[in-house]
Amino acid sequence: MVDPFRKSKLLSFGLFQKILFSFLVAIIPIMAVGYVLVSNGENIIRKEIESSLHSRVHFYLNELTRELGHIVNLKREYIFDQEIQRLNVLSPAMTDYDRRVAVLNLQKKMQTLSSSSSYIKTVKLHMVAEQKIIQPDQIEYGNSDEDKQLHLMLNRNEFPIVSWNNQLIMVERYPTGNYVNGDLPLYWIEIVLDRSKIESVLSQILTENGGNAILAGPEGKWAVLGDDSDPSFTEEMTRLNRVEGEESDSGQKRMTVWNQTYMVAYERSPDFGLALTLYVPEKDVFEPLEIYKIWFRILVATAILIVILFAYWIYLFLQRPLQRLIRAFRKVKEGTFDVHLTHKNKDEIQYLYQQFNQMVGRIQSLIHDVYEQNIRWQRAELRHLQAQINPHFLYNTYYRMHRLVQAEDIDSLKRYTRLLGDYLKYIARNAQEEATLRMEVDHARTYADILKMRFRDKVMIEWQELPDRLADLKVPRLVLQPIVENAFEYGVEEVEGIGLLRFSLMPDERALSLIVEDNGEHLPDSNLSEIIQRLASKEEDIETTGLVNVHRRLQLKFGEGYGIKAERSDLGGLRIIMVIPIGEVESYVPHTDRG
């Protein structure tokens, strides 16, 4: 085939060059005008934003530290409360009534303390001797090992706020000092700060899109955010701020995090070890330049004219041919292969059309060959299964019928012959390659009932009913009965006591699991491993009947995500799980058969 690009003079100015040249012609005037506007307004906006960020971070940090300072003073005042000390010292000499009254009074004090600030979530008074944790609304009992770990951490902490069990707390101990070797103070007050309140305040600091506020603890050990930012992003922001801003307790700067530049204002509180950081993406700050509306009107008018001409040109030479190609691909996806594309110009579009036409022809030929081969294989396998009636099963069936005739058990004989007739009728249906799940389950149950009548009291069958909403699912014929047959032949039949066969269902949103298990006693781990390996094998020369045959037929029908799998049952024997989809599934072609 002659390559249309070898003799075409259009290659010197091909489709890519046309698009690039047209784009430059359209964008250069817009960029020139935009550059003038942005360069004149950027410095003004930067100064205003920096001043605003600095003012806000200073104001909100002062407000926060003032409120936290108030809480610190309150907890120091409450730690020396006479009623707390009285209960701690005189509790052994108190009557139960006096002790109860004292605890109720302390609950009221804890409620008063909790209500003294909107930043307080709850207050806990830990009484070690009493082994009580007194809260405004409840009392807990007992001391825990976590208390010792808490006080060891408090020994190393020099700031009022610590992070403990994902909570921000403030602790005041009595008596003060360091506690080691598992020692505990006589009592302590634990104030749990309301993280959601702090988050709410932080979220109100910045209203700009993309802006956020971060309140970080000492050395960035904990952080509270004003929004749902990525934790890794927040960690990187606080780390860079901590490294680059050690020279002062406040300031403004530009920082680059994750390839994006931010305007940042920060301020630290030496007394509380807190750092408040506000940041706004530069790209969001300098995007709206309202001061240059007149220039933008000129820009818009110029851009509209250029874009219209450029868009029309692109539509004629690129968009319309590509739309034809897309529509052709959609037809191929839907299974329509009688598609042929033509293009009058000798350019890249013509080459794509020619290659597309050749590709469709090859795909159509390959799919035809593969589908014909798969259909023949499935039909042959199904006929093989239909023709394959176990002679041992047939002999035992007729022998059982003979015994029923001898015993003149007419009722059992009627039921037995009806079951056998239903079984043979289903087996002999050659015209149908698929069946509803109801028909498959009923056939497998018929087979199990035949064997049940044969073994009588030596076999128990637990059979879960199929819900009506699943009854019409389409499945390949003769996929469930071989599994039941395998359970009888290698499991139930060899049990010395009473054999148990259990059939159950486990549906979910996308798939249905049909489970057949038995209480067989002769399934060593080596045999189970061999079964699992056979099911997982892709070799073509492996056994093509029994469980492997069912597994491959299901995968050929529904895809590699379905089929059967084997494991050891809780009953002791083998559990076979057949997984089929719920709903429509596109025709599946194995990877090895795809073009």
Side-chain angles (χ1 to χ4, degrees):
M1 179 179 293
V2 179
D3 191 340
F5 294 103
R6 291 184 179 179
K7 298 181 180 180
S8 176
K9 296 182 179 179
L10 290 178
L11 279 180
S12 60
F13 194 67
L15 188 59
F16 175 77
Q17 289 83 353
K18 295 175 186 176
I19 297 175
L20 180 61
F21 176 77
S22 301
F23 180 75
L24 292 177
V25 170
I27 205 66
I28 286 176
I30 300 176
M31 294 297 296
V33 177
Y35 177 78
V36 175
L37 297 177
V38 174
S39 61
N40 289 336
E42 182 176 356
N43 292 332
I44 297 175
I45 294 179
R46 183 185 299 276
K47 292 179 181 179
E48 291 179 353
I49 294 297
E50 288 179 350
S51 176
S52 174
L53 290 177
H54 175 71
S55 299
R56 278 184 275 186
V57 73
H58 179 73
F59 172 79
Y60 280 99
L61 184 61
N62 283 345
E63 287 293 313
L64 179 61
T65 54
R66 182 181 61 81
E67 188 68 26
L68 293 178
H70 174 65
I71 297 175
V72 170
N73 293 333
L74 286 176
K75 70 181 178 68
R76 290 175 179 172
E77 178 182 343
Y78 272 79
I79 200 67
F80 294 104
D81 184 82
Q82 292 183 355
E83 293 191 17
I84 297 178
Q85 294 188 351
R86 179 174 177 271
L87 178 62
N88 181 68
V89 175
L90 301 179
S91 177
M94 289 182 173
T95 64
D96 292 340
Y97 174 78
D98 292 338
R99 189 181 298 107
R100 178 58 181 167
V101 171
V103 171
L104 291 176
N105 290 335
L106 293 181
Q107 277 191 291
K108 293 179 181 179
K109 288 181 177 290
M110 295 303 102
Q111 179 63 46
T112 302
L113 178 57
S114 177
S115 303
S116 63
S117 173
S118 60
Y119 287 92
I120 298 178
K121 182 177 182 181
T122 187
V123 179
K124 301 178 181 179
L125 173 60
H126 295 257
M127 306 290 295
V128 176
E130 290 290 309
Q131 292 191 357
K132 294 179 180 178
I133 303 175
I134 302 175
Q135 303 181 48
D137 55 352
Q138 64 177 347
I139 299 176
E140 299 179 4
Y141 297 89
N143 301 318
S144 65
D145 293 336
E146 289 189 355
D147 295 337
K148 300 177 182 179
Q149 299 175 9
L150 171 61
H151 288 281
L152 288 176
M153 184 188 69
L154 292 174
N155 294 338
R156 302 188 297 269
N157 191 72
E158 57 179 325
F159 298 106
I161 302 177
V162 296
S163 177
W164 180 252
N165 290 336
N166 295 323
Q167 292 181 328
L168 299 180
I169 64 173
M170 303 174 71
V171 177
E172 190 70 26
R173 304 183 284 187
Y174 183 87
T176 59
N178 291 334
Y179 292 88
V180 297
N181 299 325
D183 295 334
L184 295 174
L186 297 177
Y187 59 87
W188 70 90
I189 295 177
E190 176 184 336
I191 299 177
V192 181
L193 299 181
D194 192 343
R195 182 185 287 265
S196 62
K197 171 63 178 178
I198 300 176
E199 292 175 350
S200 175
V201 172
L202 294 179
S203 66
Q204 299 173 8
I205 297 179
L206 286 177
T207 58
E208 292 84 353
N209 293 331
N212 192 16
I214 303 174
L215 181 66
E219 300 180 358
K221 294 181 179 179
W222 54 266
V224 181
L225 314 179
D227 64 3
D228 298 329
S229 299
D230 191 325
S232 58
F233 173 86
T234 303
E235 181 180 354
E236 182 69 11
M237 176 66 74
T238 55
R239 184 186 67 81
L240 291 177
N241 188 26
R242 188 168 64 250
V243 172
E244 297 177 2
E246 293 293 344
E247 66 277 359
S248 64
D249 289 334
S250 65
Q252 303 89 30
K253 55 188 174 182
R254 299 173 67 214
M255 295 174 54
T256 301
V257 180
W258 291 3
N259 299 323
Q260 186 168 346
T261 303
Y262 295 85
M263 298 178 63
V264 181
Y266 64 92
E267 187 168 337
R268 298 183 179 87
S269 172
D271 296 334
F272 289 89
L274 303 178
L276 179 59
T277 303
L278 308 184
Y279 63 88
V280 179
E282 279 194 351
K283 68 179 183 64
D284 295 334
V285 172
F286 298 113
E287 191 172 8
L289 300 176
E290 296 293 334
I291 195 173
Y292 298 109
K293 288 184 178 180
I294 298 177
W295 284 101
F296 270 117
R297 290 170 186 169
I298 299 174
L299 174 65
V300 169
T302 305
I304 289 176
L305 179 61
I306 295 175
V307 168
I308 290 176
L309 296 176
F310 181 71
Y312 181 70
W313 192 92
I314 289 295
Y315 174 76
L316 291 178
F317 290 93
L318 182 62
Q319 186 176 359
R320 187 163 61 181
L322 288 181
Q323 285 178 343
R324 292 185 60 199
L325 185 60
I326 291 173
R327 286 194 295 267
F329 270 112
R330 288 175 178 171
K331 289 183 179 180
V332 172
K333 179 182 178 181
E334 294 171 356
T336 303
F337 296 96
D338 54 345
V339 181
H340 186 78
L341 299 177
T342 58
H343 188 68
K344 61 181 180 180
N345 296 328
K346 291 185 177 181
D347 54 17
E348 289 87 344
I349 297 296
Q350 185 190 57
Y351 180 77
L352 288 176
Y353 282 7
Q354 291 177 351
Q355 295 301 314
F356 172 81
N357 293 334
Q358 295 177 10
M359 178 193 69
V360 170
R362 288 195 295 269
I363 291 176
Q364 188 174 11
S365 176
L366 290 173
I367 290 179
H368 177 76
D369 294 342
V370 170
Y371 273 33
E372 286 292 331
Q373 180 181 359
N374 286 339
I375 290 174
R376 288 194 296 269
W377 182 84
Q378 290 186 65
R379 290 175 176 173
E381 289 292 341
L382 181 58
R383 293 191 181 97
H384 175 72
L385 286 176
Q386 292 171 334
Q388 181 182 343
I389 300 179
N390 192 323
H392 184 67
F393 167 77
L394 196 60
Y395 166 77
N396 288 325
T397 298
Y398 280 103
Y399 181 75
R400 177 59 183 165
M401 189 183 304
H402 175 71
R403 294 290 301 271
L404 292 174
V405 172
Q406 282 185 332
E408 296 183 358
D409 189 350
I410 302 302
D411 292 337
S412 298
L413 182 61
K414 287 180 180 180
R415 182 169 180 266
Y416 196 71
T417 54
R418 179 180 57 81
L419 290 174
L420 183 59
D422 292 341
Y423 173 81
L424 295 176
K425 179 180 178 181
Y426 190 81
I427 287 289
R429 288 181 179 176
N430 294 322
Q432 297 180 355
E433 298 179 4
E434 290 185 347
T436 64
L437 184 59
R438 171 72 70 190
M439 296 170 62
E440 271 296 298
V441 172
D442 289 347
H443 174 68
R445 180 61 189 267
T446 298
Y447 179 81
D449 288 342
I450 292 175
L451 294 180
K452 166 67 176 175
M453 292 190 68
R454 170 189 162 191
F455 289 100
R456 290 180 293 182
D457 296 336
K458 292 187 61 179
V459 174
M460 291 180 57
I461 298 178
E462 296 179 2
W463 198 276
Q464 182 178 348
E465 294 298 326
L466 179 67
D468 292 338
R469 66 184 182 88
L470 305 174
D472 294 329
L473 294 178
K474 293 295 185 180
V475 296
R477 292 184 64 236
L478 297 176
V479 290
L480 189 56
Q481 181 257 325
I483 300 177
V484 176
E485 180 180 358
N486 183 82
F488 267 101
E489 184 174 351
Y490 298 104
V492 176
E493 189 174 351
E494 298 181 0
V495 175
E496 294 183 1
I498 298 178
L500 174 60
L501 173 72
R502 177 182 295 166
F503 171 78
S504 57
L505 306 167
M506 188 179 298
D508 57 29
E509 294 181 357
R510 301 182 58 185
L512 171 64
S513 297
L514 296 92
I515 305 171
V516 178
E517 52 188 329
D518 59 74
N519 64 339
E521 301 172 347
H522 303 285
L523 180 64
D525 292 339
S526 58
N527 289 4
L528 179 59
S529 299
E530 181 180 356
I531 295 174
I532 296 174
Q533 291 175 2
R534 282 177 170 270
L535 293 175
S537 176
K538 301 297 183 181
E539 298 179 5
E540 295 297 332
D541 56 349
I542 199 172
E543 171 195 1
T544 57
T545 58
L547 299 180
V548 176
N549 176 275
V550 171
H551 180 60
R552 291 189 175 180
R553 290 177 62 210
L554 289 172
Q555 286 196 332
L556 185 62
K557 171 66 178 176
F558 299 120
E560 294 185 357
Y562 303 96
I564 66 174
K565 58 182 180 180
E567 59 186 35
R568 185 173 296 280
S569 170
D570 296 337
L571 303 177
L574 180 65
R575 174 187 290 144
I576 297 296
I577 304 174
M578 184 173 75
V579 183
I580 61 174
I582 297 178
E584 296 294 330
V585 177
E586 295 182 359
S587 297
Y588 173 74
V589 179
H591 292 293
T592 54
D593 295 335
R594 294 176 181 169

